[in-house]
Amino acid sequence: MNDKTKPPGEESVSLALAQIERSLRGSTDIDAIADPTLRATYVKGLGWMQRFIMRPHADLGRKGAVCPFAKPAHEERALLFCAFDAADMSFDIYIDTLMRMPRVFDQLATQRAESSDLLSLAIFPIGLNADTYYKFIDCAHAILKPFYMECGLMLGEFHPASTVAGAHSPTFRPMRADVPLFVIRAMALHDALFIDGESTSLGMRVHELECYLRWNAHRLATSEAQHIEARLAQRKAQLSDDSVATV
């Protein structure tokens, strides 16, 4: 496809993806980055991870680190960083760029010399204004999460003003970070904690449970698989009842 036949915005998306590819670094290799803005962003992001999500917290509501997999991923060199210039980027181009990231993640997983269940990709959209975090992080996450789950992935959204409550404590803010970022990783068994939430629409709850079962059924214990299947059947029944009630 030549430039004359490219869809509108495709060139901007391609530019952002090229930036992502060039900026890709392991979390243990960021000190050697020449670009000062990129290095400062990664240093700040890693510093927050090491100070916060890789450690326990008194308000977390359970034992262990805020994210029990972040530190092992970092130490196993399975935590990767990438970035793109999001300043002045329109929301549609921004979403289009992030919709391409599941394929990027799959390519990275395939190219690794040794596979790792801990593989995680942190994406730093550089240049976002603080008064747009709600749109470019929170709203973007709501748009992207169903697609990522369809691909067998989970997407975490983080920024300094996040109001997302913890799974075990309504007063804890686990997604509040020093810099805005997303983190992609493969869906895991413990993600049952982060789906089918009461505040989520019924249709979305059905989708989340279907994706969870599709990607995890082979490694679930029989009793746990039956429990998830029962939850899915219940949500579908609720969805059907609600649809009938509105006719």
Side-chain angles (χ1 to χ4, degrees), residues 122-166:
I123 310 166
F124 296 87
I126 295 176
L128 290 180
N129 293 320
D131 61 357
T132 65
Y133 289 161
Y134 76 93
K135 180 176 182 178
F136 282 80
I137 302 296
D138 295 327
C139 293
H141 177 261
I143 293 168
L144 295 164
K145 182 183 176 182
F147 175 65
Y148 276 63
M149 289 195 69
E150 185 73 23
C151 298
L153 303 174
M154 294 297 286
L155 181 70
E157 79 288 11
F158 306 85
H159 64 85
S162 175
T163 59
V164 176

Side-chain angles (χ1 to χ4, degrees), residues 219-234:
R219 50 185 176 175
L220 283 170
T222 300
S223 59
E224 185 59 28
Q226 291 173 343
H227 175 66
I228 298 295
E229 288 167 355
R231 282 169 61 182
L232 176 57
Q234 182 182 31

Side-chain angles (χ1 to χ4, degrees), residues 52-204:
F52 183 60
I53 64 170
M54 293 185 185
R55 299 168 62 90
H57 194 285
D59 300 327
L60 179 58
R62 60 165 173 78
K63 295 181 179 179
V66 174
C67 176
F69 305 104
K71 186 176 181 180
H74 174 61
E75 293 176 344
E76 192 178 293
R77 303 175 71 88
L79 175 59
L80 307 178
F81 288 177
C82 66
F84 66 99
D85 183 5
D88 302 321
M89 181 178 276
S90 65
F91 191 61
D92 61 325
I93 299 300
Y94 180 84
I95 292 296
D96 199 353
T97 299
L98 291 170
M99 288 287 281
R100 314 293 180 95
M101 293 308 295
R103 181 174 296 179
V104 172
F105 184 88
D106 286 345
Q107 289 173 342
L108 291 171
T110 302
Q111 292 167 2
R112 283 180 64 85
E114 296 182 6
S115 63
S116 173
D117 292 337
L118 295 172
L119 181 63
S120 303
L121 178 61
I123 310 166
F124 296 87
I126 295 176
L128 290 180
N129 293 320
D131 61 357
T132 65
Y133 289 161
Y134 76 93
K135 180 176 182 178
F136 282 80
I137 302 296
D138 295 327
C139 293
H141 177 261
I143 293 168
L144 295 164
K145 182 183 176 182
F147 175 65
Y148 276 63
M149 289 195 69
E150 185 73 23
C151 298
L153 303 174
M154 294 297 286
L155 181 70
E157 79 288 11
F158 306 85
H159 64 85
S162 175
T163 59
V164 176
H168 300 279
S169 172
T171 60
F172 186 58
R173 299 292 180 263
M175 321 304 271
R176 193 167 288 176
D178 292 353
V179 289
L181 73 152
F182 294 100
V183 177
I184 307 173
R185 58 169 175 76
M187 198 181 297
L189 294 179
H190 76 278
D191 286 321
L193 290 171
F194 308 121
I195 62 173
D196 192 27
E198 290 291 337
S199 62
T200 305
S201 68
L202 276 173
M204 189 65 71

